[in-house]
């Protein structure tokens, strides 16, 4: 495996893929123009957003689909020929190439009934079962929505106001990225062309000029966009041979977004309103997949007490790129809950199976869980470099081991009986007045 000719071939093929995928930007290709939300809310959410059937066809892609598709086909053939049909790393590379072929088809069919078909191929469906379990993502999403909507949430005070301007947020985040990554490694800049309040791509965090933030929002941005999304990109770029680990096809989305949410949790940066919003996304995808139109999904969340702005945002995320009448929608937003559950189960299983050393490989680049055992094996052989940038709890696994160890041990308890026991104590307590909670920034 360490044959110099093999390694050089691996690097050349990887670099070709990195170059070919560069102009393929899914979110840019399906984003909506500014002003749609205001017009929709002025109509009290009774009329579908004013996006004609030809809207997406007028939005030019940054590449020529037929040309890039053919080049990807040739690259896949070269991977098989130069690395061998049975080469394990070659198979991961081929699977990534296949994903980009499907992405091209997804973008060809923006605004049509076929869009949802290709989205489900890439990201899955809300009706899918969780890995190793009979529960569906929709069931999990509903359960989490219930938990994060319990009366107790209203009694949690969140004393964080959105007093930080976009310019101040950029200054603060630049300093934090320098502390974590070193000087000059990560760019943080103002943006006028993103829909969410902040997003990350490559080695750059973009902050929406129109947004304002709380201190807690910036903590979420630091770990979600910085430690996870940018950290894994830079770790992938550090790879001497497998350079494709620096780019993320949809096959790695669930692990990326799930890990970002997990890091929010482990650093105590998240809060119930944000967790509820992430859980709502699964429900929104399922409703839209089942045929509910934009107005019906929006109204579903309004009726559940979600604000007009947040109801619009969760609905818009699902319908971008698809059909406003439902059925054919963008299913990416199941990735946050799906990835969180699968990452937690992976870490717990790695600990219980006696192989905790594989856990830091989650940050080696843009990966799937199925990739990790092989990548760890190749790491031991010197082909895959260890992740350079690791969150502190993944550098020293002792605390993580104990945290997940206790969690696993307590999972055998009957929570219903435990809750029944303590509820007798709680019934005697006075009921305090609920505390008002602020809304948080929309992070993609």
């Amino acid at each position: 495996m360490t044959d110099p000719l093999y390694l050089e071939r691996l690097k050349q093929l990887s670099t070709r893929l990195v170059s070919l995928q560069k102009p393929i930007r899914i979110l840019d290709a399906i984003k909506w123009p500014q002003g749609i939300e205001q017009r929709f809310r002025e109509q009290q959410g009774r009329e579908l957003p004013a996006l004609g059937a030809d809207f997406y066809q007028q939005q030019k892609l940054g590449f020529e689909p037929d040309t890039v598709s053919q080049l990807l086909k040739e690259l896949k053939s070269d991977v098989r020929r130069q690395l061998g049909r049975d080469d394990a790393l070659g198979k991961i590379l081929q699977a990534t190439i296949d994903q980009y072929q499907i992405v091209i088809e997804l973008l060809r069919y923006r605004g049509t009934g076929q869009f949802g078909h290709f989205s489900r191929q890439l990201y899955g469906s809300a009706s899918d079962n969780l890995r190793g379990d009979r529960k569906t993502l929709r069931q999990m999403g509903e359960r989490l929505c219930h938990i994060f909507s319990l009366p107790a949430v209203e009694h949690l005070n969140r004393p964080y106001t959105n007093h930080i301007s976009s310019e101040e947020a950029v200054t603060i985040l630049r300093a934090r990225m320098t502390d974590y990554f070193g000087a000059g490694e990560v760019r943080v800049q103002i943006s006028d062309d993103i829909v969410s309040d902040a997003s990350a791509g490559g080695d750059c965090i973009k902050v929406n000029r129109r947004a304002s933030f709380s201190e807690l929002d910036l903590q979420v941005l630091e770990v979600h966009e910085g430690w996870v999304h940018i950290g894994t990109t830079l770790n992938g770029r550090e790879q001497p041979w497998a350079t494709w680990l620096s780019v993320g096809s949809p096959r790695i989305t669930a692990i990326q977004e799930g890990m970002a949410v997990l890091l929010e949790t482990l650093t105590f940066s998240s809060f119930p309103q944000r967790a509820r919003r992430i859980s709502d996304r699964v429900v929104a995808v399922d409703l839209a997949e089942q045929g509910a139109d934009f107005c019906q999904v929006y109204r579903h969340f309004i009726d559940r007490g979600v604000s007009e702005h947040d109801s619009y945002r969760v609905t818009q995320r699902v319908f971008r790129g698809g059909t406003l009448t439902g059925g054919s929608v963008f299913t990416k937003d199941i990735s946050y809950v799906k990835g969180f559950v699968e990452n937690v189960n992976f870490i717990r299983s790695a600990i219980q199976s006696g192989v905790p050393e594989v856990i830091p490989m989650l940050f080696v680049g843009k990966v799937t869980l199925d990739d990790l055992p092989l990548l760890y094996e190749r790491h031991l052989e010197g082909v895959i470099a260890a992740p350079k940038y690791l969150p502190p709890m993944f550098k020293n696994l002792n605390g993580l081991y104990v945290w997940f160890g206790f969690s696993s041990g307590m999972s055998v308890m009957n929570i219903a009986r435990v809750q029944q026991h303590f509820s007798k104590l709680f019934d005697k307590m006075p009921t305090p007045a609920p505390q008002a909670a602020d809304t948080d920034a929309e992070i993609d």
Side-chain angles (χ1 to χ4, degrees), residues 225-298:
E225 306 291 0
W227 293 12
V228 177
H229 294 328
I230 291 180
T232 50
T233 294
L234 297 184
N235 285 336
R237 291 179 182 176
E238 291 287 326
Q239 293 301 320
W241 317 110
T243 57
W244 87 85
L245 290 175
S246 64
V247 299
S249 70
R251 71 190 291 268
I252 59 86
T253 301
I255 303 310
Q256 280 283 297
E257 300 298 358
M259 182 56 66
V261 175
L262 177 57
L263 260 293
E264 293 177 29
T265 306
L266 292 174
T267 57
F268 296 98
S269 301
S270 195
F271 44 92
Q273 293 82 6
R274 173 161 174 76
R276 164 68 189 273
R277 182 173 290 109
I278 289 170
S279 305
D280 281 342
R281 294 174 183 177
V282 178
V283 176
V285 169
D286 187 68
L287 291 171
E289 283 189 288
Q290 299 305 319
D293 68 19
F294 190 99
C295 295
Q296 290 170 324
V297 175
Y298 171 78

Side-chain angles (χ1 to χ4, degrees), residues 347-364:
I347 293 171
R348 289 172 59 179
S349 298
I351 289 172
Q352 293 182 11
S353 299
V355 289
E357 57 272 8
V358 76
I359 295 174
M361 298 301 287
L362 285 161
F363 292 88
V364 77

Side-chain angles (χ1 to χ4, degrees), residues 151-152 154-156 426 429-435:
E154 298 178 6
H155 297 273
L156 296 176
F426 301 148
M429 293 176 57
T431 303
Q435 300 280 348

Side-chain angles (χ1 to χ4, degrees), residues 54-341:
D54 61 346
F55 167 76
Y56 293 107
Q57 303 312 313
Q58 297 173 1
Q59 310 305 309
K60 300 300 182 184
L61 301 174
F63 64 97
E64 205 294 306
D66 289 337
T67 300
V68 176
S69 180
Q70 179 60 33
L71 291 171
L72 287 170
K73 182 178 179 180
E74 293 171 1
L75 175 58
K76 182 177 179 180
S77 177
D78 288 344
V79 170
R80 289 197 301 263
R81 180 172 53 83
Q82 295 184 29
L83 301 183
R85 291 181 178 272
D86 297 326
D87 181 74
L89 289 177
K91 287 182 178 179
I92 296 177
L93 190 50
Q94 290 179 65
T96 305
I97 294 169
D98 288 341
Q99 286 271 293
Y100 283 116
Q101 291 281 27
I102 300 173
V103 168
I104 291 174
E105 297 308 305
L106 175 87
L107 298 183
R108 286 187 201 269
Y109 288 97
R110 290 171 296 168
T112 74
Q114 284 292 93
F115 179 88
H117 166 73
F118 291 112
S119 180
R120 286 189 293 274
Q121 285 191 41
L122 293 168
Y123 302 104
S125 165
S127 62
D128 290 344
N129 293 99
L130 289 160
R131 182 190 297 241
D133 195 88
R134 294 182 179 180
K135 293 183 179 66
T136 66
L137 281 163
R138 170 62 191 261
Q139 289 173 315
M140 178 62 72
E142 287 281 15
R143 175 62 179 161
L144 292 173
C145 286
H146 169 72
I147 292 171
F148 296 126
S149 303
L150 289 172
V153 171
E154 298 178 6
H155 297 273
L156 296 176
N157 185 25
R158 183 189 169 215
Y160 296 94
T161 58
N162 290 3
H163 66 282
I164 302 173
S165 69
S166 56
E167 290 81 4
E168 292 174 307
V170 166
T171 300
I172 294 170
L173 287 172
R174 277 177 181 163
R176 294 184 183 181
M177 293 301 100
T178 297
D179 289 342
Y180 187 84
F181 293 104
E185 294 293 333
V186 175
R187 293 174 292 126
V188 184
Q189 62 189 42
I190 294 287
S191 175
D192 293 309
D193 63 353
I194 60 173
V195 176
S196 57
D197 291 328
S199 66
D203 57 4
C204 178
I205 294 178
K206 293 183 178 181
V207 175
N208 193 322
R209 186 184 301 276
R210 298 173 294 278
S212 58
F213 303 87
S214 70
E215 172 58 34
L216 204 55
D217 293 331
L218 296 188
Q219 289 181 32
V220 170
L221 278 168
E222 178 183 0
V223 301
H224 185 115
E225 306 291 0
W227 293 12
V228 177
H229 294 328
I230 291 180
T232 50
T233 294
L234 297 184
N235 285 336
R237 291 179 182 176
E238 291 287 326
Q239 293 301 320
W241 317 110
T243 57
W244 87 85
L245 290 175
S246 64
V247 299
S249 70
R251 71 190 291 268
I252 59 86
T253 301
I255 303 310
Q256 280 283 297
E257 300 298 358
M259 182 56 66
V261 175
L262 177 57
L263 260 293
E264 293 177 29
T265 306
L266 292 174
T267 57
F268 296 98
S269 301
S270 195
F271 44 92
Q273 293 82 6
R274 173 161 174 76
R276 164 68 189 273
R277 182 173 290 109
I278 289 170
S279 305
D280 281 342
R281 294 174 183 177
V282 178
V283 176
V285 169
D286 187 68
L287 291 171
E289 283 189 288
Q290 299 305 319
D293 68 19
F294 190 99
C295 295
Q296 290 170 324
V297 175
Y298 171 78
R299 182 56 54 185
H300 171 86
F301 292 106
I302 290 291
D303 292 344
R304 288 192 170 193
V306 180
S307 70
E308 290 185 1
H309 174 71
D310 289 344
S311 294
Y312 174 85
R313 281 292 181 91
V314 70
T315 305
Q316 184 265 340
R317 291 175 64 97
V318 173
F319 281 87
R320 51 185 170 173
T323 56
L324 296 177
T325 52
S328 176
V329 293
F330 192 44
T331 59
K332 172 183 177 286
D333 273 0
I334 66 172
S335 302
Y336 298 81
V337 169
K338 176 182 179 181
F340 179 88
V341 172

Side-chain angles (χ1 to χ4, degrees), residues 354-418:
V355 289
E357 57 272 8
V358 76
I359 295 174
M361 298 301 287
L362 285 161
F363 292 88
V364 77
K366 308 298 185 181
V367 299
T368 71
L369 296 180
D370 292 334
D371 297 339
L372 294 184
L374 172 69
L375 293 176
Y376 181 70
E377 181 181 336
R378 296 298 179 265
H379 162 63
L380 295 179
E381 296 171 353
V383 178
I384 301 295
K388 178 179 179 180
Y389 302 108
L390 272 175
M393 67 286 293
F394 286 85
K395 283 184 179 179
N396 184 334
L397 292 173
N398 284 294
L400 205 65
Y401 188 103
V402 173
W403 196 92
F404 280 98
F406 273 121
S407 174
S408 298
M410 293 173 62
S411 66
V412 302
M413 299 179 67
N414 187 321
I415 187 61
R417 290 183 180 179
V418 172

